[in-house]
Amino acid sequence: MEHKKVRVRFAPSPTGGLHLGGVRTVLFNYLFAKQHKGDFVLRIEDTDQTRYVPGAEEYISECLSWCGLKPDESPAMGGPYGPYRQSERKPLYRQYAEQLVASGHAYYAFDTPEELENMRQTLKTPENPSPQYNHVVREKMRNSLTLPDAEVQELLTRNTPHVIRINMPANEELTFTDMVRGEVTFNTSQVDDKVLLKADGMPTYHLAVVVDDYLMKITHAFRGEEWLPSAPVHLLLWKYLGWEADMPQWAHLPLILKPDGNGKLSKRDGDRLGFPVYAMNWTDPKSGELTKGFRERGFLPEAFINMLAMLGWNDGTEQEIFSLEELIQKFSMERVHKAGAKFDYEKAKWFNHQYIHHKDNETLAALFLPVLAEKGLSADPAYVATVAGLVKERCYFVNEIWDHGFFFFQSPESYDEAAVKPKWNADKEAFFTAWSSLLESLTSATAADLEVAFKALATEKNLKMGDVQLPFRIMLTGGKFGPPVFDIVATLGVAETRNRIAKGVDAFK
Ligand code: GLU
Protein backbone atom coordinates (compact mmCIF):
# COMPACT_ATOMS: atom_id res chain seq x y z
CA MET A 1 0.00 0.00 0.00
CA GLU A 2 1.17 3.48 -0.85
CA HIS A 3 2.48 5.28 2.20
CA LYS A 4 0.62 8.56 2.46
CA LYS A 5 2.12 11.62 4.05
CA VAL A 6 0.28 12.42 7.26
CA ARG A 7 -1.87 15.53 6.86
CA VAL A 8 -4.13 16.81 9.61
CA ARG A 9 -6.27 19.89 9.89
CA PHE A 10 -7.80 22.22 12.41
CA ALA A 11 -10.99 23.52 10.89
CA PRO A 12 -12.56 26.16 13.10
CA SER A 13 -15.54 28.28 12.20
CA PRO A 14 -14.68 31.94 12.82
CA THR A 15 -17.53 32.61 15.23
CA GLY A 16 -15.78 34.05 18.29
CA GLY A 17 -13.05 33.41 20.85
CA LEU A 18 -11.12 30.15 20.95
CA HIS A 19 -12.17 27.87 23.80
CA LEU A 20 -9.41 25.90 25.51
CA GLY A 21 -10.97 22.73 24.11
CA GLY A 22 -10.33 24.13 20.65
CA VAL A 23 -6.69 24.73 21.50
CA ARG A 24 -6.41 21.16 22.76
CA THR A 25 -7.78 19.97 19.40
CA VAL A 26 -5.10 22.07 17.71
CA LEU A 27 -2.47 20.61 20.02
CA PHE A 28 -3.38 16.97 19.40
CA ASN A 29 -3.45 17.61 15.66
CA TYR A 30 -0.11 19.36 15.82
CA LEU A 31 1.56 16.69 17.95
CA PHE A 32 0.37 13.92 15.69
CA ALA A 33 1.47 15.75 12.54
CA LYS A 34 4.93 16.58 13.88
CA GLN A 35 5.44 13.07 15.26
CA HIS A 36 4.77 11.67 11.79
CA LYS A 37 6.70 14.40 9.98
CA GLY A 38 3.42 15.43 8.44
CA ASP A 39 1.60 18.66 7.67
CA PHE A 40 -0.72 20.62 9.91
CA VAL A 41 -3.30 22.61 7.99
CA LEU A 42 -5.45 25.47 9.27
CA ARG A 43 -8.69 25.69 7.32
CA ILE A 44 -11.29 28.33 8.06
CA GLU A 45 -14.82 26.93 7.82
CA ASP A 46 -16.80 30.09 7.15
CA THR A 47 -19.64 28.76 5.01
CA ASP A 48 -22.26 29.86 7.51
CA GLN A 49 -22.13 33.57 6.85
CA THR A 50 -24.82 34.26 9.45
CA ARG A 51 -22.43 33.12 12.19
CA TYR A 52 -19.36 34.86 10.79
CA VAL A 53 -17.72 37.23 13.27
CA PRO A 54 -15.17 39.76 12.00
CA GLY A 55 -11.77 39.45 13.64
CA ALA A 56 -12.28 35.84 14.72
CA GLU A 57 -9.98 34.41 12.07
CA GLU A 58 -7.12 36.76 12.94
CA TYR A 59 -7.69 35.96 16.59
CA ILE A 60 -7.44 32.21 15.92
CA SER A 61 -4.17 32.70 14.01
CA GLU A 62 -2.76 34.77 16.84
CA CYS A 63 -3.74 32.11 19.39
CA LEU A 64 -1.88 29.49 17.36
CA SER A 65 1.21 31.71 17.18
CA TRP A 66 1.09 32.44 20.90
CA CYS A 67 0.90 28.73 21.66
CA GLY A 68 3.74 27.97 19.25
CA LEU A 69 1.51 25.65 17.22
CA LYS A 70 2.05 27.14 13.82
CA PRO A 71 0.31 25.58 10.83
CA ASP A 72 2.23 24.54 7.72
CA GLU A 73 -0.59 25.72 5.48
CA SER A 74 -3.23 28.34 6.28
CA PRO A 75 -5.26 31.17 4.76
CA ALA A 76 -2.53 33.63 5.73
CA MET A 77 0.42 31.50 4.56
CA GLY A 78 -1.21 29.78 1.61
CA GLY A 79 -0.02 26.38 0.45
CA PRO A 80 -0.47 23.82 -2.33
CA TYR A 81 -4.12 23.01 -1.51
CA GLY A 82 -5.57 26.51 -1.13
CA PRO A 83 -7.60 28.53 -0.81
CA TYR A 84 -7.91 27.63 2.87
CA ARG A 85 -11.03 29.68 3.52
CA GLN A 86 -14.15 27.79 2.52
CA SER A 87 -16.02 30.91 1.43
CA GLU A 88 -13.31 31.38 -1.23
CA ARG A 89 -13.87 27.81 -2.43
CA LYS A 90 -17.59 28.28 -3.02
CA PRO A 91 -17.63 27.46 -6.78
CA LEU A 92 -15.99 24.13 -6.06
CA TYR A 93 -18.72 22.45 -4.07
CA ARG A 94 -21.81 22.45 -6.30
CA GLN A 95 -20.43 19.83 -8.70
CA TYR A 96 -20.14 17.34 -5.84
CA ALA A 97 -23.66 18.03 -4.65
CA GLU A 98 -24.92 17.57 -8.23
CA GLN A 99 -22.92 14.36 -8.53
CA LEU A 100 -24.75 13.06 -5.46
CA VAL A 101 -28.12 14.04 -6.94
CA ALA A 102 -27.23 12.23 -10.17
CA SER A 103 -26.33 9.06 -8.28
CA GLY A 104 -29.52 9.20 -6.21
CA HIS A 105 -27.76 9.93 -2.91
CA ALA A 106 -29.07 13.46 -2.69
CA TYR A 107 -32.08 15.36 -3.97
CA TYR A 108 -33.39 18.84 -4.61
CA ALA A 109 -35.78 20.21 -2.02
CA PHE A 110 -37.97 23.17 -2.94
CA ASP A 111 -39.77 23.66 0.36
CA THR A 112 -40.16 27.30 1.33
CA PRO A 113 -39.33 28.48 4.87
CA GLU A 114 -43.09 28.67 5.53
CA GLU A 115 -43.63 25.09 4.37
CA LEU A 116 -40.82 23.88 6.61
CA GLU A 117 -42.23 25.76 9.57
CA ASN A 118 -45.67 24.39 8.85
CA MET A 119 -44.25 20.84 8.78
CA ARG A 120 -42.61 21.39 12.17
CA GLN A 121 -45.77 22.76 13.71
CA THR A 122 -47.96 19.97 12.34
CA LEU A 123 -45.69 17.09 13.30
CA LYS A 124 -44.58 18.43 16.66
CA THR A 125 -45.44 16.18 19.63
CA PRO A 126 -44.31 16.31 23.27
CA GLU A 127 -41.94 13.39 22.53
CA ASN A 128 -40.66 15.00 19.35
CA PRO A 129 -40.62 18.78 19.87
CA SER A 130 -38.54 19.55 16.77
CA PRO A 131 -39.43 17.17 13.94
CA GLN A 132 -36.70 16.69 11.38
CA TYR A 133 -36.70 16.43 7.63
CA ASN A 134 -35.93 12.71 7.41
CA HIS A 135 -36.69 9.57 5.44
CA VAL A 136 -40.30 9.58 6.68
CA VAL A 137 -41.06 13.30 6.53
CA ARG A 138 -39.50 13.86 3.10
CA GLU A 139 -42.33 11.79 1.57
CA LYS A 140 -44.74 14.60 2.40
CA MET A 141 -42.53 17.44 1.25
CA ARG A 142 -41.82 19.11 -2.11
CA ASN A 143 -38.63 17.59 -3.39
CA SER A 144 -37.24 15.75 -6.38
CA LEU A 145 -38.11 12.41 -4.76
CA THR A 146 -41.82 13.23 -4.46
CA LEU A 147 -42.50 15.58 -7.41
CA PRO A 148 -42.82 14.37 -11.00
CA ASP A 149 -39.60 14.76 -13.02
CA ALA A 150 -41.15 17.29 -15.36
CA GLU A 151 -42.13 19.52 -12.49
CA VAL A 152 -38.67 19.27 -10.97
CA GLN A 153 -37.12 20.28 -14.32
CA GLU A 154 -39.55 23.17 -14.61
CA LEU A 155 -38.76 24.41 -11.10
CA LEU A 156 -35.04 24.21 -11.80
CA THR A 157 -35.37 26.00 -15.14
CA ARG A 158 -37.25 28.79 -13.42
CA ASN A 159 -34.47 29.08 -10.85
CA THR A 160 -36.82 28.29 -8.01
CA PRO A 161 -34.91 28.56 -4.75
CA HIS A 162 -33.91 25.11 -3.57
CA VAL A 163 -31.42 23.26 -1.43
CA ILE A 164 -29.77 19.89 -1.98
CA ARG A 165 -30.29 17.35 0.80
CA ILE A 166 -28.64 14.02 1.45
CA ASN A 167 -30.90 11.03 0.87
CA MET A 168 -30.37 9.26 4.18
CA PRO A 169 -31.15 5.58 3.90
CA ALA A 170 -33.67 4.20 6.37
CA ASN A 171 -32.45 1.73 8.95
CA GLU A 172 -28.92 1.04 7.77
CA GLU A 173 -26.14 0.24 10.23
CA LEU A 174 -22.98 2.25 9.74
CA THR A 175 -19.74 1.47 11.51
CA PHE A 176 -16.37 3.16 11.59
CA THR A 177 -13.30 2.83 13.78
CA ASP A 178 -12.49 5.88 15.83
CA MET A 179 -8.88 6.15 17.05
CA VAL A 180 -10.09 7.05 20.54
CA ARG A 181 -13.41 5.24 20.85
CA GLY A 182 -12.79 2.14 18.80
CA GLU A 183 -15.74 0.82 16.83
CA VAL A 184 -18.67 3.24 16.67
CA THR A 185 -22.00 2.20 15.14
CA PHE A 186 -24.94 4.35 14.07
CA ASN A 187 -28.32 3.61 12.65
CA THR A 188 -29.13 5.91 9.76
CA SER A 189 -32.77 6.17 10.86
CA GLN A 190 -31.60 8.44 13.65
CA VAL A 191 -30.12 10.91 11.19
CA ASP A 192 -32.04 13.50 9.19
CA ASP A 193 -31.61 14.46 5.54
CA LYS A 194 -29.03 17.16 6.17
CA VAL A 195 -28.82 20.06 3.76
CA LEU A 196 -25.60 19.81 1.72
CA LEU A 197 -25.93 22.85 -0.51
CA LYS A 198 -27.90 25.90 0.52
CA ALA A 199 -30.19 28.01 -1.66
CA ASP A 200 -27.45 30.63 -2.10
CA GLY A 201 -25.09 27.99 -3.48
CA MET A 202 -22.96 27.83 -0.35
CA PRO A 203 -22.23 24.35 0.90
CA THR A 204 -23.09 23.47 4.48
CA TYR A 205 -20.41 22.32 6.86
CA HIS A 206 -21.23 18.65 6.12
CA LEU A 207 -20.52 18.84 2.42
CA ALA A 208 -17.61 21.26 2.71
CA VAL A 209 -15.78 19.30 5.40
CA VAL A 210 -15.84 16.10 3.33
CA VAL A 211 -14.95 17.74 0.02
CA ASP A 212 -12.11 19.72 1.57
CA ASP A 213 -10.70 16.87 3.62
CA TYR A 214 -10.62 14.92 0.36
CA LEU A 215 -9.17 17.67 -1.85
CA MET A 216 -6.64 18.68 0.80
CA LYS A 217 -5.54 15.05 1.16
CA ILE A 218 -6.25 14.97 4.89
CA THR A 219 -5.28 11.58 6.34
CA HIS A 220 -6.44 12.05 9.95
CA ALA A 221 -9.30 14.17 11.22
CA PHE A 222 -9.32 14.94 14.93
CA ARG A 223 -12.13 16.98 16.37
CA GLY A 224 -14.25 17.44 19.46
CA GLU A 225 -16.70 14.79 20.60
CA GLU A 226 -19.57 17.16 19.82
CA TRP A 227 -19.03 16.28 16.15
CA LEU A 228 -19.60 12.56 16.64
CA PRO A 229 -23.32 12.74 15.72
CA SER A 230 -22.27 14.20 12.34
CA ALA A 231 -19.95 11.30 11.60
CA PRO A 232 -22.61 9.10 9.88
CA VAL A 233 -23.40 11.91 7.43
CA HIS A 234 -19.73 12.33 6.63
CA LEU A 235 -19.14 8.61 6.39
CA LEU A 236 -21.91 8.27 3.81
CA LEU A 237 -20.68 11.27 1.84
CA TRP A 238 -17.21 9.74 1.58
CA LYS A 239 -18.81 6.55 0.37
CA TYR A 240 -21.32 8.13 -2.03
CA LEU A 241 -18.69 10.37 -3.59
CA GLY A 242 -16.60 7.29 -4.27
CA TRP A 243 -13.74 8.36 -2.01
CA GLU A 244 -14.07 5.78 0.74
CA ALA A 245 -10.53 4.50 0.25
CA ASP A 246 -9.20 7.98 1.02
CA MET A 247 -11.36 8.66 4.06
CA PRO A 248 -9.27 10.04 6.92
CA GLN A 249 -9.00 8.18 10.17
CA TRP A 250 -11.11 9.94 12.72
CA ALA A 251 -10.62 10.62 16.38
CA HIS A 252 -13.32 12.34 18.41
CA LEU A 253 -11.64 13.95 21.38
CA PRO A 254 -13.24 13.84 24.84
CA LEU A 255 -15.05 16.91 26.10
CA ILE A 256 -13.49 19.20 28.67
CA LEU A 257 -15.96 19.24 31.54
CA LYS A 258 -16.96 21.80 34.15
CA PRO A 259 -15.00 21.49 37.40
CA ASP A 260 -18.27 21.26 39.30
CA GLY A 261 -21.07 19.10 37.99
CA ASN A 262 -21.39 17.62 34.55
CA GLY A 263 -21.43 19.00 31.08
CA LYS A 264 -19.06 20.80 28.79
CA LEU A 265 -17.02 23.63 30.28
CA SER A 266 -18.44 26.86 28.93
CA LYS A 267 -17.37 30.47 28.85
CA ARG A 268 -20.12 31.14 31.40
CA ASP A 269 -18.55 28.63 33.83
CA GLY A 270 -15.34 30.61 33.61
CA ASP A 271 -17.16 33.87 34.37
CA ARG A 272 -19.04 32.19 37.21
CA LEU A 273 -15.99 30.55 38.81
CA GLY A 274 -13.47 33.27 38.00
CA PHE A 275 -11.07 31.69 35.54
CA PRO A 276 -10.37 32.07 31.83
CA VAL A 277 -11.81 29.64 29.30
CA TYR A 278 -10.55 31.28 26.10
CA ALA A 279 -6.92 31.14 25.02
CA MET A 280 -6.59 34.93 24.78
CA ASN A 281 -8.78 37.91 25.60
CA TRP A 282 -11.67 38.14 23.19
CA THR A 283 -13.87 41.17 22.72
CA ASP A 284 -17.13 40.50 20.97
CA PRO A 285 -17.24 43.08 18.18
CA LYS A 286 -21.03 43.47 18.45
CA SER A 287 -21.67 43.63 22.18
CA GLY A 288 -18.22 44.85 23.19
CA GLU A 289 -18.21 42.15 25.88
CA LEU A 290 -14.73 41.08 26.94
CA THR A 291 -13.99 37.44 27.75
CA LYS A 292 -10.71 36.94 29.58
CA GLY A 293 -7.97 34.74 28.19
CA PHE A 294 -5.23 32.53 29.62
CA ARG A 295 -2.56 34.66 27.95
CA GLU A 296 -3.69 37.88 29.62
CA ARG A 297 -4.22 36.10 32.93
CA GLY A 298 -0.47 35.48 32.91
CA PHE A 299 -0.14 31.92 31.68
CA LEU A 300 3.01 31.00 29.83
CA PRO A 301 2.19 29.31 26.54
CA GLU A 302 4.31 26.25 27.43
CA ALA A 303 2.40 25.80 30.68
CA PHE A 304 -0.95 26.27 28.95
CA ILE A 305 -0.02 23.67 26.31
CA ASN A 306 1.30 21.19 28.88
CA MET A 307 -1.86 21.56 30.96
CA LEU A 308 -4.04 21.00 27.90
CA ALA A 309 -2.09 17.91 26.86
CA MET A 310 -2.91 16.33 30.21
CA LEU A 311 -6.64 17.00 29.79
CA GLY A 312 -7.53 13.64 28.34
CA TRP A 313 -4.09 12.15 27.76
CA ASN A 314 -1.11 10.81 29.72
CA ASP A 315 1.89 8.72 28.77
CA GLY A 316 1.03 5.89 31.15
CA THR A 317 3.43 7.09 33.86
CA GLU A 318 3.09 9.66 36.65
CA GLN A 319 4.94 12.27 34.62
CA GLU A 320 3.06 15.54 34.23
CA ILE A 321 5.60 18.03 32.96
CA PHE A 322 6.32 17.65 29.25
CA SER A 323 7.99 20.03 26.86
CA LEU A 324 6.46 20.37 23.42
CA GLU A 325 9.34 18.32 21.99
CA GLU A 326 8.67 15.56 24.47
CA LEU A 327 4.96 15.63 23.75
CA ILE A 328 5.69 15.28 20.05
CA GLN A 329 7.69 12.13 20.82
CA LYS A 330 5.37 10.59 23.34
CA PHE A 331 1.87 11.54 22.24
CA SER A 332 -0.39 8.78 21.01
CA MET A 333 -4.05 8.96 20.10
CA GLU A 334 -4.56 5.47 21.55
CA ARG A 335 -3.77 6.85 24.99
CA VAL A 336 -6.41 9.57 24.77
CA HIS A 337 -9.24 8.77 27.17
CA LYS A 338 -12.80 8.24 26.04
CA ALA A 339 -14.30 9.91 29.09
CA GLY A 340 -14.51 13.67 29.42
CA ALA A 341 -11.74 15.43 31.34
CA LYS A 342 -12.72 17.67 34.24
CA PHE A 343 -11.04 21.05 34.10
CA ASP A 344 -9.22 21.94 37.30
CA TYR A 345 -8.09 25.57 37.49
CA GLU A 346 -5.88 25.00 40.53
CA LYS A 347 -4.04 22.35 38.53
CA ALA A 348 -3.71 24.76 35.62
CA LYS A 349 -2.11 27.26 38.00
CA TRP A 350 0.20 24.54 39.30
CA PHE A 351 1.47 23.96 35.77
CA ASN A 352 2.10 27.67 35.33
CA HIS A 353 3.93 27.80 38.63
CA GLN A 354 6.18 24.93 37.55
CA TYR A 355 7.05 26.69 34.31
CA ILE A 356 7.63 30.08 35.90
CA HIS A 357 9.87 28.51 38.50
CA HIS A 358 12.02 26.96 35.80
CA LYS A 359 11.89 29.79 33.30
CA ASP A 360 15.05 31.80 32.65
CA ASN A 361 15.17 35.12 34.44
CA GLU A 362 15.64 37.23 31.31
CA THR A 363 12.42 35.94 29.75
CA LEU A 364 10.52 36.55 32.97
CA ALA A 365 11.95 40.07 33.09
CA ALA A 366 10.77 40.76 29.57
CA LEU A 367 7.28 39.57 30.52
CA PHE A 368 7.25 41.54 33.75
CA LEU A 369 8.49 44.89 32.38
CA PRO A 370 5.04 45.72 30.92
CA VAL A 371 3.48 44.98 34.32
CA LEU A 372 5.90 47.49 35.86
CA ALA A 373 5.18 50.00 33.12
CA GLU A 374 1.47 49.78 33.93
CA LYS A 375 2.36 50.94 37.42
CA GLY A 376 4.29 53.85 35.98
CA LEU A 377 7.63 52.28 36.91
CA SER A 378 10.60 51.21 34.86
CA ALA A 379 13.83 49.38 35.61
CA ASP A 380 16.88 48.00 33.91
CA PRO A 381 16.03 44.59 32.37
CA ALA A 382 19.11 43.01 33.98
CA TYR A 383 17.97 44.25 37.39
CA VAL A 384 14.43 42.92 36.79
CA ALA A 385 15.95 39.59 35.78
CA THR A 386 17.82 39.37 39.10
CA VAL A 387 14.62 40.15 40.97
CA ALA A 388 12.73 37.53 38.94
CA GLY A 389 15.35 34.97 39.84
CA LEU A 390 14.91 35.72 43.54
CA VAL A 391 11.11 35.51 43.68
CA LYS A 392 10.05 33.22 40.83
CA GLU A 393 9.75 30.11 42.97
CA ARG A 394 6.85 31.77 44.77
CA CYS A 395 5.00 32.99 41.69
CA TYR A 396 2.04 31.35 39.97
CA PHE A 397 1.82 34.20 37.49
CA VAL A 398 4.30 36.68 36.08
CA ASN A 399 2.48 39.62 37.66
CA GLU A 400 3.06 38.06 41.09
CA ILE A 401 6.71 39.06 40.74
CA TRP A 402 5.27 42.36 41.93
CA ASP A 403 3.50 40.84 44.96
CA HIS A 404 6.64 39.07 46.07
CA GLY A 405 9.16 41.70 45.05
CA PHE A 406 7.55 45.17 44.85
CA PHE A 407 10.15 46.47 47.36
CA PHE A 408 12.83 46.00 44.71
CA PHE A 409 11.16 48.78 42.76
CA GLN A 410 10.04 51.15 45.49
CA SER A 411 11.00 51.83 49.07
CA PRO A 412 8.44 50.40 51.53
CA GLU A 413 5.66 52.84 52.32
CA SER A 414 4.88 51.33 55.69
CA TYR A 415 6.47 48.83 58.10
CA ASP A 416 5.30 45.90 60.12
CA GLU A 417 6.04 48.00 63.20
CA ALA A 418 4.50 45.54 65.63
CA ALA A 419 7.30 43.13 64.76
CA VAL A 420 10.06 45.65 65.52
CA LYS A 421 9.01 48.51 67.73
CA PRO A 422 8.41 46.69 71.04
CA LYS A 423 11.99 45.38 71.01
CA TRP A 424 13.68 48.41 69.47
CA ASN A 425 16.34 50.10 71.65
CA ALA A 426 19.41 52.32 71.54
CA ASP A 427 21.76 49.35 71.03
CA LYS A 428 19.96 48.33 67.91
CA GLU A 429 19.91 51.88 66.64
CA ALA A 430 23.67 52.12 67.18
CA PHE A 431 24.14 48.79 65.43
CA PHE A 432 22.31 49.97 62.33
CA THR A 433 24.21 53.26 62.26
CA ALA A 434 27.46 51.29 62.35
CA TRP A 435 26.20 48.80 59.79
CA SER A 436 25.24 51.59 57.43
CA SER A 437 28.76 53.06 57.65
CA LEU A 438 30.33 49.67 57.18
CA LEU A 439 28.25 49.12 54.06
CA GLU A 440 29.97 52.06 52.40
CA SER A 441 33.05 49.91 52.07
CA LEU A 442 31.10 46.90 50.83
CA THR A 443 29.78 48.23 47.54
CA SER A 444 30.83 45.22 45.50
CA ALA A 445 30.31 42.52 48.15
CA THR A 446 28.35 39.38 47.41
CA ALA A 447 25.34 38.32 49.48
CA ALA A 448 27.56 35.82 51.29
CA ASP A 449 30.20 38.46 52.10
CA LEU A 450 27.51 40.83 53.33
CA GLU A 451 26.14 38.17 55.62
CA VAL A 452 29.58 37.47 57.10
CA ALA A 453 30.17 41.19 57.71
CA PHE A 454 26.72 41.63 59.26
CA LYS A 455 27.24 38.67 61.60
CA ALA A 456 30.66 39.89 62.65
CA LEU A 457 29.31 43.32 63.47
CA ALA A 458 26.43 41.83 65.48
CA THR A 459 28.86 39.72 67.50
CA GLU A 460 31.10 42.72 68.06
CA LYS A 461 28.10 44.69 69.37
CA ASN A 462 26.92 41.80 71.54
CA LEU A 463 23.72 41.35 69.61
CA LYS A 464 22.21 38.12 68.44
CA MET A 465 21.81 37.71 64.69
CA GLY A 466 18.09 37.07 65.21
CA ASP A 467 17.66 40.40 67.01
CA VAL A 468 18.91 42.48 64.13
CA GLN A 469 18.16 40.46 61.06
CA LEU A 470 14.37 40.79 61.28
CA PRO A 471 14.41 44.60 61.79
CA PHE A 472 16.85 44.80 58.87
CA ARG A 473 14.51 42.83 56.63
CA ILE A 474 11.59 45.01 57.63
CA MET A 475 13.57 48.17 56.81
CA LEU A 476 14.20 46.81 53.34
CA THR A 477 10.86 45.26 52.49
CA GLY A 478 8.33 46.60 54.99
CA GLY A 479 7.43 43.11 56.20
CA LYS A 480 8.64 39.72 57.31
CA PHE A 481 8.58 38.16 53.87
CA GLY A 482 10.79 37.96 50.83
CA PRO A 483 13.90 36.21 49.58
CA PRO A 484 17.06 35.87 51.74
CA VAL A 485 17.82 39.29 53.18
CA PHE A 486 21.42 39.54 51.93
CA ASP A 487 20.27 38.70 48.42
CA ILE A 488 17.96 41.68 48.75
CA VAL A 489 20.87 43.90 49.81
CA ALA A 490 23.10 42.67 47.00
CA THR A 491 20.32 43.40 44.52
CA LEU A 492 19.22 46.79 45.87
CA GLY A 493 22.82 47.93 46.16
CA VAL A 494 24.56 49.66 49.04
CA ALA A 495 23.28 53.18 48.38
CA GLU A 496 19.61 52.21 48.36
CA THR A 497 20.11 49.89 51.35
CA ARG A 498 21.64 52.75 53.33
CA ASN A 499 18.70 55.01 52.46
CA ARG A 500 16.32 52.40 53.71
CA ILE A 501 18.27 51.85 56.92
CA ALA A 502 18.14 55.59 57.64
CA LYS A 503 14.41 55.68 56.93
CA GLY A 504 13.78 52.58 59.06
CA VAL A 505 15.79 53.80 62.03
CA ASP A 506 13.75 56.99 61.95
CA ALA A 507 10.47 55.13 61.80
CA PHE A 508 11.24 52.70 64.61
CA LYS A 509 12.31 55.32 67.17
N1 GLU B 1 -15.96 23.71 11.51
C1 GLU B 1 -16.06 22.72 12.54
C2 GLU B 1 -15.86 23.45 13.88
O1 GLU B 1 -16.16 24.59 13.95
C3 GLU B 1 -15.03 21.66 12.32
C4 GLU B 1 -15.36 20.30 12.82
C5 GLU B 1 -14.41 19.29 12.20
O2 GLU B 1 -13.21 19.36 12.53
O3 GLU B 1 -14.84 18.49 11.38
O4 GLU B 1 -15.42 22.93 14.86
Side-chain angles (χ1 to χ4, degrees):
M1 205 176 105
E2 172 202 10
H3 185 71
K4 282 201 253 168
K5 182 172 193 194
V6 165
R7 289 178 52 83
V8 303
R9 85 301 191 278
F10 177 55
S13 299
T15 55
L18 189 57
H19 186 279
L20 62 96
V23 185
R24 193 197 51 183
T25 301
V26 176
L27 176 65
F28 288 4
N29 270 293
Y30 181 91
L31 296 176
F32 188 85
K34 297 299 141 188
Q35 183 175 76
H36 292 92
K37 312 256 175 297
D39 299 325
F40 167 48
V41 177
L42 171 66
R43 181 176 71 224
I44 297 295
E45 302 209 323
D46 57 350
T47 56
D48 189 349
Q49 296 287 316
T50 58
R51 295 181 61 223
Y52 178 81
V53 176
E57 180 188 323
E58 293 73 11
Y59 169 94
I60 291 167
S61 295
E62 203 185 328
C63 285
L64 268 52
S65 307
W66 175 61
C67 294
L69 306 173
K70 287 223 176 118
D72 300 297
E73 297 161 30
S74 74
M77 306 162 64
Y81 300 92
Y84 294 90
R85 236 175 247 121
Q86 285 182 331
S87 57
E88 291 169 16
R89 303 168 65 81
K90 181 178 170 190
L92 226 117
Y93 302 105
R94 177 175 283 277
Q95 55 183 306
Y96 299 105
E98 297 289 357
Q99 181 189 326
L100 291 164
V101 174
S103 62
H105 295 302
Y107 59 89
Y108 302 114
F110 300 97
D111 316 278
T112 62
E114 294 74 33
E115 285 166 338
L116 290 170
E117 187 49 33
N118 192 23
M119 175 274 279
R120 287 188 201 107
Q121 291 305 331
T122 322
L123 300 183
K124 182 163 92 173
T125 61
E127 298 76 50
N128 185 13
S130 51
Q132 305 222 309
Y133 202 117
N134 61 16
H135 64 283
V136 179
V137 169
R138 70 173 169 241
E139 302 292 335
K140 302 186 193 78
M141 305 302 287
R142 292 201 314 123
N143 54 57
S144 57
L145 300 177
T146 58
L147 300 172
D149 281 355
E151 192 177 339
V152 172
Q153 281 320 313
E154 164 93 27
L155 288 167
L156 291 176
T157 320
R158 276 197 273 122
N159 282 330
T160 314
H162 64 275
V163 300
I164 294 181
R165 288 182 181 268
I166 188 168
N167 187 355
M168 260 291 158
N171 205 19
E172 229 178 70
E173 294 263 293
L174 291 179
T175 299
F176 78 96
T177 306
D178 186 280
M179 289 171 80
V180 171
R181 288 152 203 282
E183 223 164 72
V184 185
T185 303
F186 299 91
N187 188 299
T188 54
S189 297
Q190 291 153 357
V191 190
D192 58 320
D193 289 358
K194 295 268 184 251
V195 172
L196 301 177
L197 201 77
K198 292 182 270 189
D200 63 0
M202 260 301 188
T204 58
Y205 157 66
H206 300 294
L207 179 64
V209 76
V210 170
V211 168
D212 287 345
D213 281 352
Y214 173 72
L215 295 178
M216 296 183 179
K217 295 200 164 42
I218 299 302
T219 58
H220 297 78
F222 309 145
R223 58 190 181 187
E225 188 184 314
E226 62 272 29
W227 296 102
L228 194 57
S230 300
V233 181
H234 303 167
L235 202 69
L236 284 178
L237 289 176
W238 280 94
K239 198 166 137 187
Y240 294 160
L241 288 164
W243 301 333
E244 214 177 353
D246 292 313
M247 191 171 80
Q249 268 187 276
W250 281 324
H252 290 85
L253 307 175
L255 293 178
I256 298 180
L257 305 173
K258 300 176 197 300
D260 54 344
N262 289 321
K264 187 176 162 186
L265 175 71
S266 72
K267 181 170 93 64
R268 280 176 303 282
D269 297 316
D271 296 342
R272 180 170 60 85
L273 300 164
F275 56 72
V277 167
Y278 285 175
M280 311 184 316
N281 275 4
W282 165 255
T283 306
D284 185 284
K286 268 214 196 101
S287 65
E289 186 200 349
L290 168 77
T291 306
K292 291 263 175 73
F294 279 88
R295 180 177 74 174
E296 288 77 5
R297 178 66 193 85
F299 278 82
L300 299 176
E302 309 90 301
F304 181 52
I305 288 304
N306 192 158
M307 179 275 287
L308 287 177
M310 303 309 287
L311 280 177
W313 175 86
N314 65 58
D315 75 341
T317 72
E318 297 290 298
Q319 185 176 343
E320 293 184 288
I321 299 292
F322 293 90
S323 67
L324 190 59
E325 271 316 305
E326 223 177 331
L327 287 172
I328 291 171
Q329 281 167 26
K330 298 198 170 161
F331 180 74
S332 75
M333 207 41 96
E334 289 68 29
R335 289 207 61 85
V336 173
H337 315 153
K338 286 198 208 51
K342 253 192 205 309
F343 179 66
D344 177 349
Y345 186 56
E346 289 310 311
K347 190 73 195 196
K349 281 167 63 182
W350 177 85
F351 276 106
N352 210 44
H353 177 232
Q354 294 295 314
Y355 276 85
I356 289 196
H357 188 176
H358 295 106
K359 193 92 201 155
D360 66 280
N361 300 339
E362 288 66 32
T363 306
L364 289 175
L367 292 168
F368 184 63
L369 278 164
V371 179
L372 267 189
E374 259 173 46
K375 299 181 191 295
L377 296 167
S378 65
D380 177 33
Y383 178 78
V384 181
T386 308
V387 172
L390 288 173
V391 301
K392 64 184 178 183
E393 69 181 273
R394 290 159 221 255
C395 296
Y396 283 79
F397 296 106
V398 165
N399 61 2
E400 289 175 1
I401 293 177
W402 177 260
D403 304 332
H404 297 290
F406 62 88
F407 46 84
F408 285 108
F409 306 101
Q410 62 185 25
S411 184
E413 274 148 22
S414 61
Y415 300 102
D416 183 350
E417 294 190 353
V420 189
K421 269 203 162 170
K423 293 183 207 149
W424 190 254
N425 56 32
D427 289 349
K428 288 188 184 171
E429 187 174 332
F431 170 83
F432 279 101
T433 310
W435 172 233
S436 183
S437 308
L438 182 58
L439 276 173
E440 271 192 291
S441 62
L442 293 171
T443 42
S444 48
T446 63
D449 295 341
L450 288 161
E451 184 166 1
V452 170
F454 188 86
K455 267 190 186 153
L457 186 65
T459 312
E460 188 190 314
K461 304 272 180 207
N462 270 325
L463 287 163
K464 280 195 223 110
M465 186 68 170
D467 290 339
V468 279
Q469 193 166 322
L470 183 68
F472 187 34
R473 171 182 290 283
I474 292 175
M475 287 170 186
L476 300 178
T477 70
K480 294 187 217 162
F481 48 79
V485 71
F486 297 101
D487 285 331
I488 301 178
V489 180
T491 307
L492 286 175
V494 159
E496 178 61 17
T497 301
R498 295 186 70 227
N499 285 339
R500 293 192 189 187
I501 293 173
K503 228 176 103 186
V505 166
D506 246 13
F508 299 155
K509 269 185 192 156

